Amino acid sequence: MTFKEKYLAGEIEFEEIDGYIEVWNNMDGEQTLAQFLGLNAEEEDLWIEDSDEALKELLDKERGNNR
């Protein structure tokens, strides 16, 4: 499962994104960081252009809608 899938399922805290980034940094492969985390283009853009907090807020809204 990706970071996003686990986060939306309530299995991990948002702060664990840093561990996923570290794993990705140490991987050999073609996958982008956004793909590895499970982020779509809108989520990736918001994260890059704004902040971790903005991404968390967006995912929290999606998380709330899935409950």
Side-chain angles (χ1 to χ4, degrees):
M1 286 179 80
T2 65
F3 163 79
K4 179 181 171 183
E5 291 168 330
K6 286 185 178 182
Y7 182 72
L8 292 179
E11 296 177 14
I12 59 173
E13 296 296 320
F14 185 83
E15 293 71 24
E16 292 192 42
I17 195 169
D18 294 330
Y20 278 79
I21 294 168
E22 188 173 328
V23 168
W24 179 81
N25 280 326
N26 293 308
M27 286 177 35
D28 290 327
E30 302 289 319
Q31 202 173 33
T32 67
L33 177 57
Q35 290 169 334
F36 181 74
L37 295 174
L39 302 179
N40 64 35
E42 175 190 1
E43 294 158 346
E44 179 185 24
D45 288 346
L46 179 69
W47 185 37
I48 291 169
E49 294 172 10
D50 204 334
S51 64
D52 284 359
E53 292 78 21
L55 175 61
K56 182 180 184 306
E57 186 176 308
L58 181 65
L59 293 179
D60 285 347
K61 287 179 186 174
E62 188 173 335
R63 193 176 184 179
N65 290 338
N66 289 336
R67 290 184 178 179

